[in-house]
Amino acid sequence: MTRDVTDCAIMLGAVAGHDRRDSTSIDIPVPDYRAALATDISGLKIGLPKEYFIAGLDPDVQTSMDEAIATYRRLGAEFVDVSLPHTDCAVATYYLIATAEASSNLARYDGVRFGHRSAAAEGLITMMTQSRSEGFGPEVKRRIMLGTYALSSGYYDAYYVKAQKVRTLIMKDFTEAFGNADVLLTPVAPTPAFALGEKTGDPLQMYLSDIFTIPVNLAGTCAMSLPAGFSAAGLPIGMQLIGKPFGEETILRAAYAFEQATEWHTRKAVI
Amino acid sequence: MAHQKGGDLMRFQPVIGLEVHVQLKTDTKIFCGCSTRFGAEPNSQTCPVCLGLPGALPVLNRKVVEFAIKAGLATNCSIAGRSIFARKNYFYPDLPKGYQISQFEEPICQRGWLDIHLEGHEPKRIGITRIHMEEDAGKLVHSDTPGLEDGSGVDLNRACTPLLEVVSEPDLRSADEAVAYLKKLYQIVTWLGLCDGNMEEGSFRCDANVSVMPVDSDTFGTRAEIKNVNSFKFVKQAIEHEIQRQIDLIEDGGTVVQETRLFDPTTGKTRSMRGKEEAHDYRYFPDPDLVPLVIDTAWVERARSELPELPEARQKRFMAELGLPGYDAEVLTASRGIADYFETGVTAHGNPKAVANWVMGEVTRGLNDNGCAIDDCPIAPAQLAELLGLIDAGTISGKIAKTVFDEMWKSGKAPRAIVEEQGLVQVSDTAAIEAIIAEIIAANPGQVEEYRGGKEKVFGFFVGQVMKASRGKANPAVVNDLLLATLKQHPGGTT
Ligand SMILES: [Zn+2]
C-alpha cells in the first residue's frame, strides 16, 4: 500500500475511524499512529505460531524469517512459541464464507440499472442471465457458483454454518495466542512471489498461497506485511506482523523498528 | 355415490395461517434517510443505499425497531434481546440489490397471541409465531403508463420502506376467523400509529396459507399459499374459494399440491402462480453488512411505557366506567380517533350514552357521506357537546338538532349561532301552539270526525300538520299533550 511504515501510519490515520454509514465500524477514537513509531522495542513479546513454520515452507522464505527473528532479538524483543491449531481449516472456511457473501453481493449486477447490459437480451430473464454471463470473468463466476452452492437449501448447514463455526474457533485461536504475545510474526506466503498469471490455471493452488494471510481476515484482527528479503531468484519475500484487535500501534512500532534496522524496503524486485 | 360440487364443508376442517405485511409509518426508510411518502414522482425518493449502488451500506432506522417492539408488546410477544437481519436472495427488477434484507432466524418478536371474538362464539386465542422487520421492494410500472408504451419502468421510491411481517400460527379454522384476526391486528397497528392502514396503497396486505383436512384427522393437509390480498372482503372471498376448491379436488379423487396461488378479485377465484418445483431457494444467510441488533430491557420498558391504552382495555373501561352497552363500546373503539373523539365529547357534555348515540349516528354518517376520517371531522367534540346541551336545555328538539348538525358540518359555525340566525329556537309556549292547533282542527273537519269516531291513527296526521305549520320548531312533547287535550275536549262534535 505504501513504500514505508511511516507512510503506512499516515495513510491508516486518514482512513481509520467510525463511519456512521457503515454499521460494522466501531465508534472509538483514532490513535496518533505516527506518534507510535519508535525504534525501541525492548521487551516486546513476539509469538511464532508453529503452524506457520512447517516443513513445506520454501527454504528462501525460511531463511528470511530466521534473519528477521535474529534482527528482532538484537533489538531486544523476546520470542515465544504459540499455536493457532485451526490454521489448516482457514482456506476452506474463507472460501465458503467469502464466496457466499460474494454470490449475494454481486447479485446487484443484473443489468437493470447499472453495469453491463447485454445487447443480445430479449426479455427479462435473458437480460439478467446474458448480462451476467458476459460481464463477469471466470474467477468471479467460479466464486459466485461456489457461494451459491454453499448457501443452497440442503447444503447451508453443512457448508456455510459449519464454516462460520470454524471461523469462531479460528478467532479463539488468536485470542489464546495473544494471551502470551504482543504481536505474531509469520511469513506472508509459503513461497516467494510467483509470476503474473503463473497459477491462474490452478485456482486451488492459488487459493492455498493465501493460507497465512486468510486466518487474520477471518479472525477480524489487524496485520501488516513488509519486505523481509529476496529469494535466490530475486523475487520479494514478505514478513507479516499480526496484532491484537485494535493493536495497530504495536505492529506499526514493531515494523518501524525492523525497517530502521534493515534495508529491504529500499530494494526493488527485478521483473 | 355421486357427490355434489360445493358440498361437504361438514366433512372437512380448514386450517389457515396468515402472513401479514404491515407498512410502517416512519418518516424515513428502514436502512437510509429517504422519505417514505407515497405518490411522489418515480425514483425521486432514492439514494445510493436504496438504489443498491455498489459500496453503499445499510444503517438501521431506530424508529423501525421501536415500532416493532411496540407491535410485539401489543400482540403479547416476547421481545428478543438479540435479533439478526438476513438476506433473502432472489432476482427481480424491483429488487435493486438482488436480495431483500429481512429477518429469518432470530426475529425481533416471537410467541405472541391475539384474541378474536366472533359473534355467537366464545373468544378464541390465535397464536402469533413471530414478527420480523424487513425492507419492501420497489414497484414495476408497465406499458399502460404514458411514456412507457414499449416497456416497463422501475420505481424505487418504495424500495427500502420498512415493513413488519406478522406470521400467525395455523390456528384459524374459517375465513370468518381469518378476517376477525386480520381486523384485530389492523386495529392494533393503526391504533398504535405504526401503520396508516391504507389498504388500497398496500400498507396492510396479507398472504394466506390454506389447507383442509378431514374433521376426524389431526394431520394438516397440503397447503396452498395465496399471495398479496389487500382487502378484508377479498381475504374472505379468496379463503372461502380456496377451501371449496381443495375440498372439491379431494372429493373428486385428486390431491392438493403445494403451490403459490393468486386471487383474482374480478372472478373471485384463485389460480396457480407457481408450483413447488418453481419455488425459490432464497438462500437466507445473516447479512454481513449489519451487526446483531441488541435490545436491552430498558428499551423495551420505555416502549411499553409509551403504549397508549389498547382498544380492548378501553372498550372494557367504556363499559365499566361510562356505562356503555358492549355494542357501543366496541363500535366506539374501532379506531383510536373515534375513541378519542367520543371521550373528549363526554368530558365536555357529561352524558356518555347521548354522546355515543350522536357519534355512532350523525358523526359516522357525516364521515361516511363525505368520505373523510374522524381526524378531519369539521365538527369538534366540544361543538357536538354544545349542540347536545341545546337539546338538554329544551332550546331545540332532537330533530332540529340534526338540521343544525348538518349546517355546522357545512359552515363550521357554532350551534347556538345557527339556531339564532335561522330562528330555530323551539316553541314551547302553549298559547302559540294552541293557536296553531285550533287552525289545523278547523281546516280538517273530516279527520277530526274520523278521530272522534275511534280511528286513533289519525292522531299522527295532526301532529305532523302542527309540526309542519310551526316549521318544526314546536316542542313535540307540548304538541302531543295539547293536541290530545284539544281533541278530547269536544266529544260528540257539533250536534
Ligand atoms: Zn434511500
Side-chain angles (χ1 to χ4, degrees), chain B residues 103-118:
Chain B
Q103 294 195 294
F104 189 55
E105 290 166 340
E106 303 186 53
I108 183 165
C109 310
Q110 279 173 290
R111 296 177 305 277
W113 48 264
L114 283 181
D115 286 338
I116 57 168
H117 306 263
L118 277 188

Side-chain angles (χ1 to χ4, degrees), chain A residues 20-24 100-101 103-105 107-110 112-114 124 128 132 147-148 151-153 156-157 160, chain B residues 51-54 57-59 87 89 91-93 96-99 154 156 281 283-286 288-291:
Chain A
R20 59 184 183 84
R21 297 196 172 183
D22 177 357
S23 315
T24 66
E101 289 184 8
S103 73
S104 176
N105 289 340
R108 68 190 67 201
Y109 295 96
D110 55 8
V112 176
R113 284 202 75 257
F114 51 77
L124 183 59
M128 288 183 170
R132 291 172 66 79
T148 303
L151 290 176
S152 296
S153 152
Y156 178 74
D157 288 331
Y160 184 78
Chain B
L51 291 175
L53 297 188
L57 294 165
V59 178
R87 294 185 182 176
N89 296 281
F91 286 103
Y92 205 66
K97 297 188 294 294
Y99 57 84
V154 184
L156 293 176
D281 178 357
R283 290 172 284 121
Y284 281 102
F285 76 109
D289 292 339
L290 289 159
V291 291

